[in-house]
Amino acid sequence: MERMEAQFAFLKEIDKEKEIIRQTYLASGSRKEGDAEHAWHLALMTLLLGEYANEEIDVLKTMSMVLIHDLVEIDAGDTYAYDEQGKTTQREREVAAADRIFGLLPEDQGKKLRALWDEFEARETPEAKFARTMDCVQPLMLNHATEGRSWKEHGVKVSQVMGRNARTAEGSQALWDYAKATMIDPHVGNELKDE
């Protein structure tokens, strides 16, 4: 019972991820997406697009990674991709959050999920590289669907988008090439300007 109680305490705690709102709009533009929706979308993208990984990946492991990668934002908050000030404390906030949140689980499961989170952060394995590609391509897709709405609202410049995506091809060159051609390039000079 103690193990199950710890698991349900964790599951109740991570329900808070549903309340974290990101800066990216849904494809319909009707509202901004939540963190849990983002994680769900990345998991489905991984299932469907895993065939484009640069190296063979364990799809289930990668899906698990993207499902838990933002749980730390329950404590740390969402740091917008182009918020340079927020990024200065992001790592410290997220590590403390990972310690607490994954520490709610029975030790074996806590260590397993924490290891997946650490692997995602390190971005060294084929799975982590592909998970990071999904984490970058998904907001590009949604920004494109809303004609760059989030970029316009935040005054994001093409150099910022390219900087954020400097390593996106590490997980999938094919997906990066597609995203750049169809999701970024059409907005250069309109929504995305470098001045």
Side-chain angles (χ1 to χ4, degrees):
M1 286 297 284
E2 186 177 320
R3 180 178 177 84
M4 194 178 293
E5 285 179 8
Q7 291 165 327
F8 273 100
F10 173 83
L11 292 168
K12 182 181 172 192
E13 182 68 11
I14 66 167
D15 187 67
K16 294 175 181 176
E17 187 182 23
K18 296 174 187 175
E19 298 177 19
I20 300 166
I21 304 302
R22 297 166 48 83
Q23 294 301 310
T24 307
Y25 285 88
L26 300 180
S28 68
S30 62
R31 64 176 172 81
K32 293 179 179 178
E33 74 172 343
D35 255 7
E37 294 169 309
H38 170 68
W40 162 83
H41 210 178
L42 296 184
L44 283 174
M45 288 176 68
T46 299
L47 180 64
L48 295 176
L49 303 173
E51 66 187 81
Y52 299 107
N54 290 341
E55 302 173 71
E56 188 171 331
I57 59 167
D58 178 331
V59 171
L60 180 58
K61 179 181 180 183
T62 310
M63 289 174 68
S64 300
M65 198 177 289
V66 297
L67 284 170
I68 62 104
H69 83 286
D70 276 343
L71 291 179
V72 296
E73 294 183 2
I74 291 168
D75 289 355
D78 178 51
T79 304
Y80 182 50
Y82 305 105
D83 176 4
E84 296 309 316
Q85 179 67 29
K87 288 181 190 177
T88 62
T89 61
Q90 182 179 7
R91 178 75 181 155
E92 179 183 336
R93 288 181 283 117
E94 290 185 351
V95 167
D99 290 343
R100 185 190 77 78
I101 293 166
F102 298 127
L104 295 172
L105 282 164
E107 187 176 355
D108 63 317
Q109 288 183 323
K111 285 182 177 179
K112 182 178 179 180
L113 293 191
R114 175 59 187 264
L116 279 174
W117 183 79
D118 287 332
E119 184 176 338
F120 176 86
E121 290 295 305
R123 201 184 212 159
E124 294 173 352
T125 64
E127 289 79 11
K129 290 175 185 177
F130 192 78
R132 290 300 204 111
T133 295
M134 295 296 89
D135 196 33
C136 288
V137 169
Q138 188 259 4
L140 292 174
M141 177 186 69
L142 294 179
N143 266 300
H144 176 63
T146 60
E147 298 177 352
R149 183 172 176 186
S150 178
W151 291 331
K152 288 181 210 175
E153 288 180 359
H154 293 279
V156 175
K157 300 187 180 344
V158 68
S159 59
Q160 291 174 285
V161 172
M162 296 307 289
R164 162 126 169 96
N165 286 282
R167 298 181 63 188
T168 300
E170 290 179 9
S172 173
Q173 186 67 53
L175 290 174
W176 166 244
D177 290 345
Y178 179 81
K180 183 174 181 313
T182 65
M183 300 171 198
I184 298 173
D185 290 350
H187 300 281
V188 174
N190 296 318
E191 294 80 22
L192 294 171
K193 299 176 184 176
D194 269 337
E195 297 169 355

